[in-house]
């Protein structure tokens, strides 16, 4: 159940995975909601489902205080699994912090507010799991159809054959080949001593 906003200042959090425009939209929405620009914290290039390596989120959680409102524009920007959402929301509540989702403000200590946020966390986790399932099936299908061939060699086979021939003939050293082809010596070593691929 949404509550009336507290008098405290809002602290905003935004997250993007790959779309830069998305984080700009989130930032503009947070500013419209009354979040001061210097209290908006952002994680760039994050697409996982856990809190690891989310410095922006850690900074936002450290910036709240009793009576403030931790604010996001969409729930899945904040958390994508139930356990983590529950842990963070419980921690915020323990410090007297409310949770703002768009213009609405929720109190984790209110049974109806907690139920609603738990339902959002469940949906976010379901959608994340569904996305992983679809990605896995898509990759499996691409591999089956020969469209996903795994990691490709750094150098094409004609270059690899030339490297083997010249090295065996004693024309060049391993260091020379490494410099010429701009690859590490370990790569040249694998080419020389590894199996030849089919032409």
């Amino acid at each position: 159940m949404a509550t009336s906003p507290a008098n405290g200042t809002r602290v905003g959090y935004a997250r993007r995975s790959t779309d830069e425009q998305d984080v700009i939209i989130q930032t503009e929405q947070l500013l419209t909601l009354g979040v001061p620009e210097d209290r908006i914290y952002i994680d760039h290039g994050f697409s996982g489902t856990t809190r690891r390596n989310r410095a922006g989120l850690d900074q936002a959680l450290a910036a709240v205080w009793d009576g403030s409102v931790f604010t996001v524009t969409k729930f899945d920007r904040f958390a994508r699994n139930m356990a983590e959402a529950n842990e963070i929301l419980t921690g915020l509540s323990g410090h007297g912090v409310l949770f703002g989702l768009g213009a609405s403000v929720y109190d984790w200590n209110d049974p109806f507010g907690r139920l609603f946020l738990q339902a959002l966390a469940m949906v976010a986790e379901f959608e994340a799991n569904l996305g992983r399932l679809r990605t896995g099936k898509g990759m499996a299908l691409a591999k089956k159809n020969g469209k996903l061939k795994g990691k490709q060699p750094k150098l094409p086979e004609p270059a690899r054959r030339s490297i083997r021939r010249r090295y065996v003939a004693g024309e060049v050293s391993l260091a020379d080949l490494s410099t010429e082809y701009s690859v590490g010596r370990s790569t040249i070593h694998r080419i020389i001593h590894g199996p030849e691929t089919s032409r």
Side-chain angles (χ1 to χ4, degrees):
M1 184 176 184
T3 67
S4 298
N7 293 327
T9 303
R10 287 178 180 256
V11 173
Y13 173 69
R15 175 185 67 80
R16 79 171 178 91
S17 50
T18 56
D19 185 2
E20 181 65 35
Q21 184 64 28
D22 181 49
V23 82
I24 294 173
I25 293 171
Q26 290 179 66
T27 301
E28 291 175 348
Q29 291 173 339
L30 289 170
L31 290 170
T32 301
L33 291 168
V35 181
E37 188 172 1
D38 63 348
R39 293 195 180 275
I40 296 176
Y41 300 88
I42 302 171
D43 276 318
H44 295 276
F46 178 85
S47 59
T49 58
T50 68
R51 187 176 162 183
R52 288 194 303 271
N53 301 319
R54 294 175 70 178
L57 178 59
D58 291 337
Q59 291 168 359
L61 294 174
V64 296
W65 65 92
D66 188 0
S68 61
V69 183
F70 181 92
T71 306
V72 295
T73 59
K74 294 190 293 184
F75 194 90
D76 66 356
R77 303 292 89 183
F78 155 67
R80 298 179 73 191
N81 73 70
M82 294 178 63
E84 196 162 85
N86 286 343
E87 178 186 347
I88 297 174
L89 288 167
T90 298
L92 289 171
S93 178
H95 288 90
V97 181
L98 297 175
F99 182 76
L101 181 59
S104 299
V105 178
Y106 299 90
D107 184 350
W108 185 246
N109 289 320
D110 174 70
F112 294 101
R114 180 176 297 205
L115 177 64
F116 177 69
L117 294 176
Q118 286 176 329
L120 291 181
M122 180 175 64
V123 171
E125 182 171 318
F126 170 74
E127 289 179 341
N129 290 336
L130 193 61
R132 282 197 298 271
L133 179 64
R134 287 172 176 164
T135 300
K137 286 184 175 180
M139 291 178 68
L141 183 60
K143 189 172 183 179
K144 180 180 178 182
N145 293 335
K147 295 179 181 178
L148 187 65
K149 301 183 183 296
K151 188 176 181 180
Q152 298 300 306
K154 291 183 179 180
L155 297 173
E157 183 56 29
R160 297 162 74 88
R161 286 197 297 270
S162 175
I163 287 170
R164 293 189 195 100
R165 178 185 58 75
R166 293 167 63 201
Y167 182 81
V168 170
E171 297 175 8
V172 289
S173 69
L174 189 145
D176 292 334
L177 290 166
S178 175
T179 301
E180 180 180 341
Y181 287 93
S182 299
V183 295
R185 293 190 184 192
S186 59
T187 298
I188 299 296
H189 186 273
R190 283 194 298 270
I191 291 172
I192 294 169
H193 300 286
E196 290 193 33
T197 57
S198 58
R199 301 192 184 197

